[in-house]
Amino acid sequence: MSAVPTQAGRAGRERDQRAIRRIDRDVRGDEGQGQGDIPMPTVGVAVAVIDTDRVLLIKREDFEVWGLPGGGVEAGESLAEAAAREVREETGLGVHLMRVVGVYSRPAWERGGDHVVLFAAVPTDGVLLRDTDGEALDARYFDRHNLPETLIWWHRQRVLDALDGVCGVAWSQHTVWPFAADMSAAAVRDERDHSGLSRQQFYARHFDPASGVQRLDVGEIPGGGS
């Protein structure tokens, strides 16, 4: 007789599935694409939750690095709905979206590229890290002069743009998928767990910020960039 799945067990499996989808979309960029599918760009959202001059960052479970909350857009969702949902799931906070900061493209990313719409928001309700989905190990507010060293490199410009009040920019951020083209998210997790490295060390080895180049395609930023 098979055991009846408990609510906790179902929640754990759903959390694991979301974690795999996060690597697929945000790190690998292929959420929703099966074996043999034609490579297609993915579209996601990120949110800079701002409290005065500080931005909320989460410490991610997959590589124990810091980044903005965000993720993929689910079927039937608008971009704004996805943004609010992702913040709630990952931080426990409800937010009011204030503006679209910009669009951040990684066209050279695996399986057709990845494109993220960044919103700026303010918190409205909730308690930080209460009733979250387990994808975030920690969540804290940081000011621009004390951003964590282990911030995902392609999130840094996004954070600065949000804090600077930028609106309507478009960036191209060149990142290269460091594994085999057909390597699945589950295989990345397995390699991580058997590498003998900490999760941060594994990230640093394979996602070196020194290899990243970015270009402002549309709009202006403080300091004269255009």
Side-chain angles (χ1 to χ4, degrees):
M1 180 176 179
S2 60
V4 177
T6 65
Q7 182 176 357
R10 287 193 296 269
R13 286 193 295 273
E14 290 172 358
R15 183 173 60 249
D16 290 343
Q17 290 168 356
R18 284 194 298 269
I20 290 175
R21 290 199 302 270
R22 167 177 283 280
I23 294 179
D24 278 340
R25 199 215 64 79
D26 191 44
V27 176
R28 190 169 190 269
D30 64 354
E31 182 178 54
Q33 300 186 56
Q35 290 284 354
D37 288 346
I38 298 173
M40 293 290 290
T42 53
V43 177
V45 293
V47 183
V49 182
I50 298 174
D51 178 17
T52 60
D53 58 351
R54 302 179 303 159
V55 64
L56 181 63
L57 300 176
I58 61 170
K59 188 174 186 180
R60 292 170 46 145
E61 181 275 337
D62 52 6
F63 296 113
E64 297 182 358
V65 293
W66 293 86
L68 293 163
V73 181
E74 295 184 352
E77 279 187 320
S78 69
L79 292 170
E81 289 169 340
R85 173 185 54 77
E86 287 287 346
V87 175
R88 177 74 76 176
E89 289 179 355
E90 296 179 355
T91 73
L93 299 182
V95 295
H96 174 60
L97 303 178
M98 302 293 291
R99 71 180 191 276
V100 175
V101 179
V103 181
Y104 298 78
S105 297
R106 294 186 290 158
W109 203 235
E110 181 55 34
R111 292 189 63 83
D114 183 51
H115 308 276
V116 170
V117 177
L118 173 62
F119 294 88
V122 293
T124 57
D125 63 83
V127 178
L128 203 56
L129 290 182
R130 180 180 291 178
D131 299 326
T132 58
D133 60 11
E135 292 181 22
L137 301 176
D138 197 359
R140 303 179 192 175
Y141 285 96
F142 294 86
D143 66 48
R144 65 183 304 124
H145 302 296
N146 294 287
L147 296 176
E149 291 185 8
T150 54
L151 176 63
I152 297 171
W153 81 257
W154 56 86
H155 284 207
R156 182 172 295 274
Q157 186 64 53
R158 306 176 189 189
V159 167
L160 296 177
D161 287 350
L163 288 173
D164 285 335
V166 168
C167 185
V169 295
W171 283 90
S172 293
Q173 298 177 305
H174 181 73
T175 54
V176 178
W177 176 244
F179 304 105
D182 59 350
M183 192 170 185
S184 68
V188 174
R189 290 165 63 91
D190 185 65
E191 181 169 326
R192 176 201 67 190
D193 293 342
H194 292 86
S195 66
L197 302 172
S198 71
R199 294 188 176 195
Q200 286 187 2
Q201 290 170 335
F202 184 87
Y203 170 85
R205 171 174 291 186
H206 294 288
F207 300 96
D208 182 7
S211 64
V213 177
Q214 57 185 14
R215 180 185 71 245
L216 180 61
D217 296 323
V218 177
E220 297 182 355
I221 59 173
S226 61

